[in-house]
Amino acid sequence: KGIETLLDNGDLCEICDDGTSVDTDPIVYCDGCPVKVHQSCYRISVVPAGDDPWYCRWCQYKKDIQHTELSKSLPEKVMCIFCLKSGGPMLPTSYGNQWAHSSCCISLAEVFISQKPQQQESNEKVGSEYNEQIVVEGFSKSISKRSHLKCLVCGRVGGACIQCVFGVCAQSAHPFCAKGTTEWKPYFDVATRLDYLCPKHANKTTTSELKEKSADQPEKQKKTKNSDSQTKPRKKAKVSSSDEDNKNSDDEE
């Protein structure tokens, strides 16, 4: 519990998967559940001093409503709207009592996090002053765009899957599922978003090759159906009904 200030102590931040913990950005442990996160990764404004407790946002929410009518309908575990899984560091969304994994939010291009002003005095609820007041936005657009994709890790359809960042590869997985396996390789395409390479391309691609393959392939042009084979880019949207027609079409192009 509390703050660990040793370097690489073996406990990994559940958002960035790094174990480095220093005074300027310590790994902080929730006093209500097993969640452990970097101060910067989870946007913790102030790290509690001494033996003061710190709670992740879900545990803090449960404490805040424990004596209200809302507590009667509160589930024991909250499910992420993007990966349909529970557990891990969660963030509240801007709509009702829906929550999302921090690790899912940083992998979905349509999703962003908005700052919200502090609504209560800092001494009104224990621990609530430590976390920045933020909510997840853009989740409806992301789910609408991606809910038909099948996660190749858990096998479920729904939520919001990402697709392999290599070229026009259409292999897909929930961000939380991809993060939880060694077969999908993380790749930072831009500074603020974490992409992934599918098992097929994880160990066959250098950074320069990946950038070359992906440069002219916007995400909206990727095929949205999962395929066991790599999809070749085509100039025409129409797909022929036979292999011979496909070949002729390629020759004409």
Side-chain angles (χ1 to χ4, degrees):
K1 303 294 182 181
I3 310 168
E4 178 60 65
T5 57
L6 300 177
L7 181 65
D8 200 5
N9 60 20
D11 285 340
L12 304 181
C13 169
E14 294 183 48
I15 299 176
C16 71
D17 285 336
D18 187 272
T20 303
S21 181
V22 294
D23 290 334
T24 54
D25 192 15
I27 292 179
V28 186
Y29 300 77
C30 179
D31 281 275
C33 74
V35 161
K36 48 187 179 294
V37 290
H38 277 120
Q39 179 181 0
S40 61
C41 290
Y42 199 54
R43 301 197 183 192
I44 303 171
S45 300
V46 180
V47 175
D51 294 329
D52 290 345
W54 173 81
Y55 298 98
C56 69
R57 287 176 173 87
W58 171 244
C59 286
Q60 185 61 56
Y61 176 73
K62 290 191 295 182
K63 286 178 63 65
D64 290 346
I65 67 168
Q66 61 183 340
H67 300 303
T68 69
E69 289 294 322
L70 290 173
S71 64
K72 296 180 180 180
S73 59
L74 189 69
E76 182 177 349
K77 294 182 179 180
V78 64
M79 184 177 68
C80 172
I81 59 173
F82 295 128
C83 67
L84 314 178
K85 306 290 191 305
S86 60
M90 295 276 190
L91 295 175
T93 69
S94 58
Y95 182 77
N97 189 25
Q98 293 185 332
W99 294 72
H101 280 124
S102 297
S103 54
C104 287
C105 294
I106 62 175
S107 293
L108 297 166
E110 305 84 12
V111 175
F112 60 96
I113 297 173
S114 294
Q115 289 276 357
K116 295 294 181 182
Q118 184 83 14
Q119 297 297 321
Q120 65 274 342
E121 295 296 327
S122 62
N123 61 354
E124 182 180 344
K125 300 184 177 74
V126 176
S128 60
E129 71 270 24
Y130 299 130
N131 296 326
E132 291 183 31
Q133 302 303 298
I134 56 179
V135 292
V136 177
E137 306 271 10
F139 54 91
S140 295
K141 180 179 180 181
S142 185
I143 292 174
S144 175
K145 179 180 179 180
R146 303 168 182 268
S147 62
H148 62 286
L149 295 171
K150 180 180 180 180
C151 176
L152 298 180
V153 179
C154 73
R156 298 179 67 178
V157 176
C161 286
I162 54 173
Q163 290 178 290
C164 175
V165 73
F166 184 87
V168 293
C169 178
Q171 305 295 287
S172 57
H174 295 122
F176 191 74
C177 293
K179 182 178 181 295
T181 177
T182 57
E183 296 179 347
W184 285 71
K185 180 180 178 181
Y187 175 81
F188 278 97
D189 187 26
V190 294
T192 57
R193 189 172 77 246
L194 176 62
D195 288 312
Y196 285 89
L197 290 159
C198 73
K200 180 177 181 178
H201 299 117
N203 298 318
K204 298 181 180 180
T205 313
T206 64
T207 301
S208 58
E209 289 173 338
L210 176 61
K211 289 182 177 180
E212 181 180 349
K213 290 285 185 181
S214 302
D216 298 323
Q217 302 295 337
E219 187 175 1
K220 64 181 181 180
Q221 290 185 357
K222 288 184 178 182
K223 282 195 173 183
T224 56
K225 292 184 178 180
N226 292 306
S227 172
D228 292 332
S229 61
Q230 183 178 353
T231 305
K232 294 183 179 180
R234 302 179 61 86
K235 294 181 181 179
K236 296 182 180 180
K238 183 178 180 181
V239 180
S240 301
S241 58
S242 67
D243 293 339
E244 183 177 355
D245 289 341
N246 283 334
K247 184 177 183 305
N248 293 335
S249 176
D250 290 337
D251 292 338
E252 291 174 2
E253 291 171 4

